[in-house]
Amino acid sequence: MAKEMLRQGGRSARIQEAVHRSVRDLLATTDRSEMTVPMIAEKSGVTPSTIYRRWGDLSDLLADVALARMRPIADPDDTGAMASDLEAFVVDYAEEMSSSVGRQMISDVLNSSVEASAFQCCQFTQQHLQTLRDRALARGEAAFDIDRIMDRVIAPIMYHILFRDRDVAPDYCRGLVAECLSDNG
Amino acid sequence: MAKEMLRQGGRSARIQEAVHRSVRDLLATTDRSEMTVPMIAEKSGVTPSTIYRRWGDLSDLLADVALARMRPIADPDDTGAMASDLEAFVVDYAEEMSSSVGRQMISDVLNSSVEASAFQCCQFTQQHLQTLRDRALARGEAAFDIDRIMDRVIAPIMYHILFRDRDVAPDYCRGLVAECLSDNG
DNA sequence: TCCCTTAACGCAAATTATTAGCGTTAGGGA
DNA sequence: TCCCTAACGCTAATAATTTGCGTTAAGGGA
């Protein structure tokens, strides 16, 4: 979306920043169903037509903001061993994603008409897993298969968050990790 | 949504049927992003305000229609054995859900502001699994754990459909089932 | 069967969101 | 520094949504 802009600096960037900030602020206080483009525009000090032209519609704007928030900034904690690294990461992931803002971000990303958004979102997760995997290999530990973790650990957590059919409590997450690592796939 | 109506018969039911039909027809020919309430209203022979008042907004209407389409009508095929029953069901499930209309239905249900919609949707899946489980028990076969199938088979399939990070081809689905049944959980 | 109550509807006016045209501003390369 | 034009602001259409109010028709009770 805002990635392949022809002009990246100056005014354009300032507006993007202002709009993103406004969206984040509004998401914290306002229910998504009562958020409107004119509302965001006013808070950002731009005209609505600017937002419509640049992002298309509210869904795409929200997806853009959500994806920006999900983009990795720091590596997962290094706990000293692969199993505990993985456990810590997954528990954190579940907690963040199942929170109110986390849910909102996921839903925004999945609703984007930009087909690549959802894919990129799961790439971020895989990137983190790759970091943990590299770290394990560097330690001389047995590596794990990323796709396997996605299927056995991440997918069920995401499913329960989306369909609201159970809590993704730390114990449950740890169980998923343990079971996945113990089964010799 | 349309479940706890105070009046269930006559005109009200006719309108619900007409609106549902219109939505289904439109979904087949029109892209969701260009579907509007007035459009549906005209096709159904009702005024837009009727739809707004009854369903709230387009998202909730679409979720209502999607949920109605997902509601089980027939039991899964009986193939004679638990493993093949499960395999057949899962492959079918993946094919239906990953289709264009399937994706649309999932997304509509997940977007509903009615919190229970998503939960009910996954209840439908569990109902089918329960049928297969009962059938297995009646045959004297070893039963499977429904939650386990949800986590190990359904969840990954759903994840890949939603995040578009891989195809849920029959072979992949069969692999998930096989691996889940072979690991003694 | 025939009222009576009121949920659900239709219509239309008011409000609000979205789109489109056109002139203006300000990146960024020559 | 100048020029080109992407990106913006403003405003006038257009379209969607909300709201008030009168009307229709379920569904229960006499």
Side-chain angles (χ1 to χ4, degrees), chain A residues 35-52:
Chain A
M35 245 177 63
T36 66
V37 170
M39 184 185 296
I40 297 167
E42 194 196 13
K43 197 172 168 65
S44 314
V46 301
T47 62
S49 62
T50 293
I51 295 182
Y52 286 119

Side-chain angles (χ1 to χ4, degrees), chain B residues 11 23 35 64 94 104 150 171:
Chain B
R11 179 171 63 168
V23 170
M35 245 177 65
D64 189 42
Q104 190 63 65
M150 293 301 288
D171 282 350

Side-chain angles (χ1 to χ4, degrees), chain B residues 17-46 51 58 61-62 65 69 100-101 104 108:
Chain B
E17 176 51 32
V19 170
H20 273 225
R21 172 188 309 284
S22 299
V23 170
R24 285 194 302 268
D25 290 351
L26 281 172
L27 276 177
T29 60
T30 316
D31 195 50
R32 193 233 142 112
S33 63
E34 54 198 64
M35 245 177 65
T36 66
V37 170
M39 184 185 297
I40 297 166
E42 193 195 15
K43 197 171 167 65
S44 314
V46 301
I51 294 182
L58 185 55
L61 169 56
L62 291 179
V65 173
R69 293 180 86 170
S100 170
V101 295
Q104 190 63 65
D108 289 341

Side-chain angles (χ1 to χ4, degrees), chain B residues 74-118:
Chain B
D75 281 349
D77 288 343
D78 187 337
T79 65
M82 185 267 270
S84 52
D85 268 12
L86 205 50
E87 206 171 78
F89 169 69
V90 168
V91 168
D92 267 19
Y93 178 86
E95 187 181 327
E96 281 178 31
M97 291 307 194
S98 65
S99 71
S100 170
V101 295
R103 275 202 161 87
Q104 190 63 65
M105 290 192 305
I106 299 168
S107 145
D108 289 341
V109 166
L110 292 181
N111 277 330
S112 173
S113 69
V114 181
E115 162 146 350
S117 298

